[in-house]
Amino acid sequence: MSNKMNIIEEHYRIAKEKYAALGVDTEAVLKKLDSIPISIHCWQGDDVKGFENPEGELTGGIQATGNYPGAAKSPEQLRSDLEKAFSLIPGAKRLNLHAIYLETNGEKVERDEIEPKHFENWVRWAKAQQIGLDFNPTIFSHPKADDGLTLSHPDEEIRNFWIEHVKRSRKISEYFGKELGTPSIMNVWIPDGFKDVPADKLGPRQRLKDSLDKALEEKIDRKYHIDAVESKVFGIGAESYTVGSHEFYAGYAIANDLALCLDAGHFHPTEVISDKISSVSLFVKDILLHVSRPVRWDSDHVVILDDELMAIAKEIIGNGLTDRVHIGLDFFDASINRIAAWVIGTRNMFKALTIALLQPTETLKNAEVEFDFTTRLAMLEELKSYPWQAVWDYYCYTKDVPVGMEWLKEVKKYEKTVLLNR
Ligand code: RNT
Ligand code: ZN
């Protein structure tokens, strides 16, 4: 161990010198990294099933494919899996919950009846973990969403049901914020759309606007709760039209001073959210990211360290937006070990942030304003092979989490002793 420790420290020392020559202080980078939380989504642990109904089927144009053994089947299992994942990830974490992860002691509680008490165990656990919580109303996987329309449904009764669900979800989110001393971001995503060419594109959008106006009417202190809305370009079974499009929600968020959620899988395949962050930041106070990975469609693959992930991190860091851009993850892969999925995706997000923090942003910006595009390109290319990995390893090491592939051994052990016995 001590030999290994020396190697990690030695590599870090060399990297520190190399970055210092560029004017980058790696110690400051590590400190800054500590202050950027990632909201880890609970739903990777059980393929977005929740605890409302054990037979619950995932609907709403999203899908978790695969049948890898060991999915969490109870809140206790899910929390234990999360603890395992957290122990393998350095840095600040939050947990993002959905309404279907409620605990009711076997009692049937409808979505329009949920209350803070159904999330007391989560709050107790979050306190023990010293993390904040975020929240989402679950407006899919439900008989009242089976028509493919919810808040924009032509039937007022159905709209009212979902409006009440959102209202109650906001109270739960506020409760999280009050209990944990950090605002809970509550994100509204609905699956509403049509498979085929609509006759009326305006009507459903008018109804959605009206439903949101009602659902979000009550003022809640931003200290405890922040509302976010998430757009989408299409879903399975809603290929021709999505009620909550990007323009709809960008407009709605700006008009109502809400946070706008940008999901990496929710735009046309050549569009990237990294390019949207700076623009949106000029018009909304808070941006929520659903960092995901679309493969040909909104497939919600585990986040890898690709160009787009690094670009997202660079936009947040380079523009000084860490206080206003809230990083959440949103992927659900049931074809691999689910704890590994969390660890890989979250560590990659932290790696991308490390790389972005190690970039001499001011030098690059100065070259640019002087129209020295040669220096800009030369430097950006050179930086790609700079020893960011030594800084990352050192970060993991100082946070007492496994360095490099060592974490996988822990996951395999847990799989053998816990997951395969479920
Ligand atoms: C669906 C949206 C939404 C969900 C989660 C479970 O396309 O991305 O954010 O993935 O709320
Ligand atoms: Zn999303």
Side-chain angles (χ1 to χ4, degrees):
M1 186 64 206
S2 76
N3 188 30
K4 200 164 150 199
M5 179 184 100
N6 288 338
I7 291 171
I8 293 166
E9 286 180 343
E10 182 62 6
H11 284 177
Y12 174 68
R13 196 187 54 74
I14 297 165
K16 187 176 170 174
E17 273 175 23
K18 273 204 98 168
Y19 281 109
L22 292 178
V24 175
D25 174 357
T26 54
E27 292 294 314
V29 164
L30 293 176
K31 234 199 186 143
K32 178 76 188 170
L33 198 52
D34 261 345
S35 72
I36 309 172
I38 295 181
S39 186
I40 298 174
H41 54 313
C42 75
W43 52 91
Q44 166 61 68
D46 75 331
D47 315 332
V48 211
K49 285 206 173 71
F51 309 122
E52 191 181 55
N53 165 10
E55 305 310 312
E57 196 203 338
L58 178 60
T59 66
I62 53 177
Q63 254 181 23
T65 54
N67 56 0
Y68 201 84
K73 291 189 186 70
S74 67
E76 291 73 27
Q77 290 182 357
L78 186 56
R79 284 191 279 267
S80 150
D81 292 357
L82 281 162
E83 280 173 33
K84 187 79 235 171
F86 285 8
S87 74
L88 305 172
I89 301 166
K93 301 153 195 91
R94 302 174 61 85
L95 179 73
N96 196 3
L97 282 171
H98 242 282
I100 47 172
Y101 291 83
L102 78 177
E103 290 172 77
T104 64
N105 286 319
E107 194 197 328
K108 169 87 188 143
V109 175
E110 252 310 341
R111 302 252 177 113
D112 60 349
E113 296 167 351
I114 56 168
E115 292 178 53
K117 69 172 185 206
H118 301 126
F119 293 88
E120 273 169 3
N121 289 343
W122 282 112
V123 166
R124 206 170 308 124
W125 180 80
K127 281 181 184 165
Q129 300 290 317
Q130 297 182 304
I131 60 166
L133 291 176
D134 296 305
F135 199 56
N136 304 258
T138 309
I139 315 182
F140 53 84
S141 302
H142 189 278
K144 285 198 160 59
D146 280 352
D147 291 333
L149 297 174
T150 61
L151 288 171
S152 73
H153 202 286
D155 181 345
E156 191 183 1
E157 228 177 273
I158 292 188
R159 290 202 305 279
N160 284 342
F161 174 83
W162 291 115
I163 289 169
E164 185 60 26
H165 177 58
V166 175
K167 284 186 174 174
R168 283 171 177 260
S169 294
R170 294 179 85 225
K171 299 310 278 182
I172 292 162
S173 173
E174 180 187 32
Y175 157 71
F176 287 174
K178 282 187 172 160
E179 288 289 323
L180 301 167
T182 164
S184 157
I185 303 193
M186 192 198 87
N187 179 55
V188 175
W189 172 75
I190 60 167
D192 298 31
F194 289 128
K195 180 185 178 78
D196 224 329
V197 190
D200 180 10
K201 288 193 171 187
L202 181 59
R205 287 181 173 144
Q206 278 169 332
R207 291 195 291 272
L208 174 57
K209 180 177 175 296
D210 182 65
S211 292
L212 288 170
D213 288 348
K214 289 180 176 137
L216 310 179
E217 200 176 9
E218 189 192 334
K219 284 273 153 281
I220 299 181
D221 196 331
R222 250 188 147 90
K223 212 161 83 199
Y224 307 124
H225 159 90
I226 296 172
D227 291 295
V229 284
E230 178 182 12
S231 72
K232 191 162 175 170
V233 67
F234 88 104
I236 301 171
E239 290 85 357
S240 298
Y241 167 73
T242 302
V243 183
S245 61
H246 179 54
E247 290 70 16
F248 178 91
Y249 281 125
Y252 196 83
I254 293 164
N256 295 283
D257 196 17
L258 309 180
L260 185 67
C261 174
L262 300 172
D263 183 308
H266 287 195
F267 294 88
H268 288 284
T270 55
E271 267 184 274
V272 281
I273 61 165
S274 55
D275 190 45
K276 300 178 190 298
I277 294 170
S278 51
S279 299
V280 166
S281 77
L282 296 172
F283 303 101
V284 297
K285 220 177 278 160
D286 293 282
I287 299 174
L288 172 63
L289 298 184
H290 271 189
V291 182
S292 191
R293 178 166 53 106
V295 179
R296 306 196 185 279
W297 62 289
D298 178 38
S299 55
D300 295 289
H301 279 59
V302 177
V303 165
I304 59 173
L305 188 60
D306 57 10
D307 286 347
E308 172 59 1
L309 190 71
M310 291 190 277
I312 289 169
K314 277 179 195 166
E315 288 303 314
I316 302 170
I317 302 297
N319 296 318
L321 291 169
T322 48
D323 289 340
R324 294 202 288 129
V325 177
H326 308 271
I327 306 172
L329 304 175
D330 185 12
F331 50 80
F332 25 102
D333 188 338
S335 74
I336 61 172
N337 180 300
R338 293 167 185 81
I339 295 165
W342 271 321
V343 175
I344 294 167
T346 315
R347 282 176 71 121
N348 278 334
M349 187 70 241
F350 275 123
K351 281 184 200 168
L353 289 168
T354 308
I355 294 168
L357 285 164
L358 288 167
Q359 185 171 279
T361 306
E362 283 318 304
T363 312
L364 285 160
K365 284 184 182 173
N366 286 340
E368 186 164 281
V369 292
E370 279 157 21
F371 293 92
D372 184 1
F373 300 150
T374 312
T375 297
R376 183 182 65 184
L377 181 63
M379 198 164 199
L380 281 173
E381 286 309 294
E382 213 49 55
L383 282 165
K384 286 180 179 167
S385 49
Y386 258 60
W388 63 267
Q389 186 244 1
V391 179
W392 165 252
D393 281 353
Y394 182 72
Y395 185 63
C396 291
Y397 164 70
T398 58
K399 295 290 156 191
D400 223 10
V401 306
V403 173
M405 283 276 286
E406 289 297 304
W407 64 264
L408 187 56
K409 287 186 193 149
E410 293 292 316
V411 171
K412 294 274 186 198
K413 209 174 5 164
Y414 187 80
E415 177 171 293
K416 216 167 145 202
T417 55
V418 180
L419 300 179
L420 294 178
N421 297 322
R422 283 184 179 162

